[in-house]
């Protein structure tokens, strides 16, 4: 080797990423090999052996480190993404072990500035916001499990004080920890409306198909039917002047109420606070202040809608969706039909879908996606990053960039998505920028770059500028 062992050891102590790919670090006491930049605790120099490449380390009987993933690095995968995903997995498993963003950066083996860049690219979020979200999710899970001591719950979730935990919990869930616990034993709960919530837009959006069989809007009330453990359930949202009363019919128990709460927040676009976007782009807030990206009840529903909506007009897409729900869904309260889950759709035959007027290709794509999801090979919520979820979606038959970006945006809630090729988006961009023709894919991305990292919300604004209701 062209470097002395003393120099190489200094480089691994410094976690020098510039030496990744130049040398492999073998740790004889643990039987693993690492990248020089591995964030793990460094071994004593006498326990280290340096190799020129991965093959040499493997020939010596060493296995790849699970933290720095040298095997992924040498396969040409994104090293930063690999480390980030490994760190995210550790945080999700034990959020209380990470006191702050510095601890998360240490786990990922990068500096805080680099960590924020990785989060912006791959999660469309800030590290601090991610940490808070994971901590509160852990707190909710413990409450569902029956944990009752709220003071202990705060510390177990990674908070140093009960007051800090209570404030963060209410901001993320719309309820105090005590109210959330009470909800688990009830069939209803009340949320305070987020500041500036455009209630009329929420109702128009979810009721945009007036003939829908799985949603219904009457006055200031919204009903949504879905499957809960294979059985039909119906969620009702009744909007008051400043709050939303949510009730569940057809299912009960802590797990059912926890899911009902999650769905209600998704339908309200709870996590998509528009303040940062409106500050950066005040020209958008004048006609539509408070607009939010509203999500589907679950990611699979967004994927079904995206596949059905490929290369057809909205009216026909609505009709296809209604027919599919009638064919594969189950009757629910209020005369609605619960949207089918992946198993119900996967149980259909191609002929069943062809009878519903799906093309042969569209039927193939839908059945393939449903089969993958039903078998557990397409658990979209299990992917820690938008990058990983998009890669998996694009591996599906018939799933192109538009479908993947739509699902990332409306099914998974990622905030910096661009459904390139969307007819409504290109028309809105043409009008907004006074173009002679609709922009192509490259120009669409160029025009939308100005709205990063809020391009999902910018897309909703552009859609809304056409007819007042996004697609």
């Amino acid at each position: 080797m062209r470097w002395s062992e003393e120099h190489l050891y200094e480089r691994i102590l410094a976690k020098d990423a510039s030496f990744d790919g130049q040398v492999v670090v073998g740790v004889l006491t643990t039987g693993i090999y690492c990248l020089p930049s591995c964030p793990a605790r460094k071994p004593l120099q006498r326990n280290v052996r340096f190799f020129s490449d991965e093959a040499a380390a493997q020939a010596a009987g060493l296995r790849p480190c699970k933290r720095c993933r040298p095997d992924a690095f040498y396969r040409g995968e994104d090293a930063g993404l690999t480390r980030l995903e490994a760190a995210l997995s550790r945080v999700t498993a034990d959020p209380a072990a990470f006191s702050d963003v510095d601890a998360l950066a240490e786990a990922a083996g990068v500096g805080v500035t680099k960590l924020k860049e990785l989060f912006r690219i791959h999660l469309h979020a800030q590290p601090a916001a991610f940490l808070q979200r994971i901590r509160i999710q852990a707190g909710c899970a413990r409450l569902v499990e029956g944990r009752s001591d709220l003071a202990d719950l705060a510390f177990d979730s990674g908070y140093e004080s009960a007051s800090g935990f209570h404030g963060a919990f209410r901001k993320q869930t719309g309820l105090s920890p005590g109210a959330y616990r009470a909800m688990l034993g009830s069939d209803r709960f009340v949320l305070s409306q987020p500041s500036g919530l455009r209630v009329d837009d929420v109702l128009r959006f979810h009721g945009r198909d007036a003939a829908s069989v799985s949603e219904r809007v009457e006055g200031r009330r919204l009903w949504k039917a879905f499957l809960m453990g294979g059985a039909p359930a119906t969620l009702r949202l009744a909007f008051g002047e400043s709050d939303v009363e949510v009730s569940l019919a057809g299912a009960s128990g802590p797990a059912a109420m926890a899911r009902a709460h999650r769905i209600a927040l998704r339908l309200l676009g709870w996590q998509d606070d528009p303040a940062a976007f409106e500050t950066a782009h005040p020209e958008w807030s004048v006609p539509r202040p408070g607009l939010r990206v509203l999500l589907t009840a679950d990611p699979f529903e967004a994927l079904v809608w995206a596949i059905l909506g490929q290369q057809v007009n909205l009216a026909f897409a609505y009709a296809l969706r209604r027919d599919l729900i009638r064919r594969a869904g189950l009757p629910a309260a209020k005369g609605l039909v619960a949207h089918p889950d992946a198993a119900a759709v996967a149980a259909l035959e191609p002929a069943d879908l062809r009878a519903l007027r799906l093309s042969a290709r569209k039927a193939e794509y839908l059945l393939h996606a449903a089969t993958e999801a039903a078998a557990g090979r397409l658990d979209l919520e299990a992917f820690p990053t938008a990058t990983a979820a998009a890669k998996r979606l694009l591996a599906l038959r018939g799933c192109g960039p538009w479908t993947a970006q739509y699902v990332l945006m409306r099914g998974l809630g990622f905030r910096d998505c661009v459904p390139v090729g969307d007819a409504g988006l290109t028309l809105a961009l043409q009008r907004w920028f006074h173009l002679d023709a609709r922009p192509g894919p490259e120009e669409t991305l160029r025009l939308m770059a100005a709205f990063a990292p809020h391009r999902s919300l910018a897309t909703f604004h552009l859609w809304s500028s056409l007819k007042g209701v996004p697609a």
Side-chain angles (χ1 to χ4, degrees), residues 331-371:
K334 193 63 179 178
L336 297 174
V337 182
H339 192 288
D341 58 15
V345 175
L348 299 176
E349 296 292 334
D352 297 326
L353 296 176
R354 295 288 286 123
L356 300 180
R357 297 179 294 166
L358 273 71
S359 67
R361 284 295 179 88
K362 198 180 290 287
E364 176 191 352
Y365 300 158
L366 181 60
L367 288 176
H368 175 63
T371 299

Side-chain angles (χ1 to χ4, degrees), residues 229-307:
T234 304
L235 199 65
R236 189 194 73 157
L237 283 71
F239 293 85
E241 288 301 317
S242 60
D243 56 26
V244 187
E245 183 186 57
V246 184
S247 57
L248 177 66
S252 62
M257 289 305 297
R259 187 179 175 209
H261 174 263
R262 289 194 299 272
I263 291 175
L265 296 189
R266 289 172 62 88
L267 298 179
L268 294 171
W270 190 273
Q271 304 298 340
D272 190 46
D273 186 344
F277 174 82
E278 293 181 354
T279 298
H281 303 282
E283 68 276 14
W284 293 88
S285 63
V286 174
R288 291 172 296 275
L291 188 70
R292 292 168 177 255
V293 176
L294 308 178
L295 306 187
T296 54
D298 59 54
F300 181 70
E301 183 178 336
L303 179 57
V304 169
W305 171 245
I307 293 173

Side-chain angles (χ1 to χ4, degrees), residues 35 68-69 71-86 114 118 121-122 387 391:
L35 297 171
C68 64
R69 295 292 307 281
D71 50 335
F73 177 87
Y74 280 94
R75 286 198 300 268
E77 297 178 9
D78 186 324
L81 175 60
T82 299
R83 291 183 186 178
L84 176 64
E85 290 181 340
K114 179 63 175 179
L118 290 173
I121 294 171
H122 299 298
T387 305
K391 182 178 179 180

